[in-house]
Amino acid sequence: MPIKIVLTGGPCAGKSTILKRIVQKYSTSGYKVYTLPEAATQFIQGGVDFLTQDVHLSFVTETAKLQYQLAMEDSMMRIAEACGQPAMIICDRGSMDTFAYISEQVKRDILSEIGQTETELCDHRYDAVLHICTAAKGAEAFYTLDNNNCRSESIEVARKVDDRLLSVWEKHPRLNIIQANVDFEKKINDVLIAIDKILESTQTDPQR
């Protein structure tokens, strides 16, 4: 069974660079590594406005984004299952990230619309979650808006976003928090160590 891992965290956490290092390490360690892009970024680049004041349009947009995320994951899982070798899927954000940006009522409405529960989307869908903390929490000198055209958050807002993202994933049984560090190589190494432990624990889990 392929391993499915979510990379999440606030703005300027270093996810893109970390993702490349994950692929580099595990592709040379016997794994077929599949990666999924961030759905929200794809939508924004396609012209979608997540800041619209149109309540109905916002609901349709958030629901469609979540459904797109789930469909990408399910499609990639089928491919990974058929590839004929140990495989892992690394998701640039996951299902619960949507709920960090909307109200509790809208969350309930979306869950009802798609016929899913919060437990199904959080606890049961992914083998592990790596919350990679924003540089705005401990490595402020490295916080920048220059490397992502879709990013506009101040340091203060980035911290709040990071907190909200952490809160929506807090019930996941394999939530790993990777702290910000001025030594980015150490941060990357912390991620790789966490994945090594995830692989070890899932291989011995009889419920998988």
Side-chain angles (χ1 to χ4, degrees):
M1 175 72 73
I3 305 295
K4 184 162 56 173
I5 299 173
V6 173
L7 299 186
T8 185
C12 197
K15 287 191 294 91
S16 297
T17 302
I18 288 171
L19 183 57
K20 292 177 183 177
R21 292 287 290 273
I22 292 172
V23 173
Q24 181 183 45
K25 174 179 177 178
Y26 294 100
S27 293
T28 58
S29 301
Y31 283 89
K32 176 62 178 177
V33 183
Y34 297 96
T35 65
L36 289 177
E38 183 179 355
T41 297
Q42 289 192 310
F43 274 37
I44 291 170
Q45 292 173 343
V48 174
D49 179 13
F50 284 102
L51 301 179
T52 178
Q53 298 302 305
D54 184 322
V55 175
H56 175 67
L57 176 58
S58 179
F59 174 78
V60 171
T61 299
E62 294 291 352
T63 303
K65 176 171 67 69
L66 178 54
Q67 290 174 316
Y68 178 69
Q69 172 80 39
L70 301 179
M72 281 199 300
E73 293 175 7
D74 291 345
S75 296
M76 194 64 83
M77 178 60 77
R78 290 195 294 272
I79 294 170
E81 289 173 340
C83 76
Q85 68 182 93
M88 67 171 68
I89 301 170
I90 308 296
C91 306
D92 188 345
R93 303 202 178 283
S95 58
M96 297 300 294
D97 285 58
T98 291
F99 303 137
Y101 300 93
I102 60 178
S103 69
E104 187 68 22
Q105 181 59 56
V106 174
K107 179 180 78 172
R108 289 196 292 268
D109 291 343
I110 289 177
L111 289 172
S112 176
E113 178 74 13
I114 67 174
Q116 296 271 3
T117 68
E118 192 170 349
T119 299
E120 288 170 336
L121 293 182
C122 180
D123 298 19
H124 299 159
R125 190 168 180 85
Y126 308 96
D127 293 290
V129 177
L130 297 182
H131 179 92
I132 305 170
C133 292
T134 172
K137 287 182 173 179
E140 289 83 356
F142 298 92
Y143 185 81
T144 180
L145 305 178
D146 295 338
N147 58 356
N148 189 331
N149 293 331
C150 297
R151 183 183 302 144
S152 60
E153 301 89 345
S154 66
I155 284 181
E156 291 74 18
V157 171
R159 290 170 181 158
K160 292 178 181 179
V161 170
D162 195 271
D163 288 341
R164 292 201 304 269
L165 288 163
L166 184 57
S167 70
V168 298
W169 287 106
E170 63 184 358
K171 294 180 181 179
H172 195 282
R174 287 198 184 98
L175 172 63
N176 296 263
I177 302 174
I178 309 299
Q179 301 293 345
N181 198 301
V182 294
D183 182 352
F184 192 64
E185 280 298 318
K186 183 181 184 308
K187 191 176 189 181
I188 294 174
N189 193 52
D190 288 343
V191 169
L192 299 178
I193 290 173
I195 293 178
D196 284 342
K197 292 179 179 178
I198 292 163
L199 294 175
E200 181 180 353
S201 65
T202 54
Q203 288 168 357
T204 57
D205 186 349
Q207 296 183 347
R208 287 198 80 251

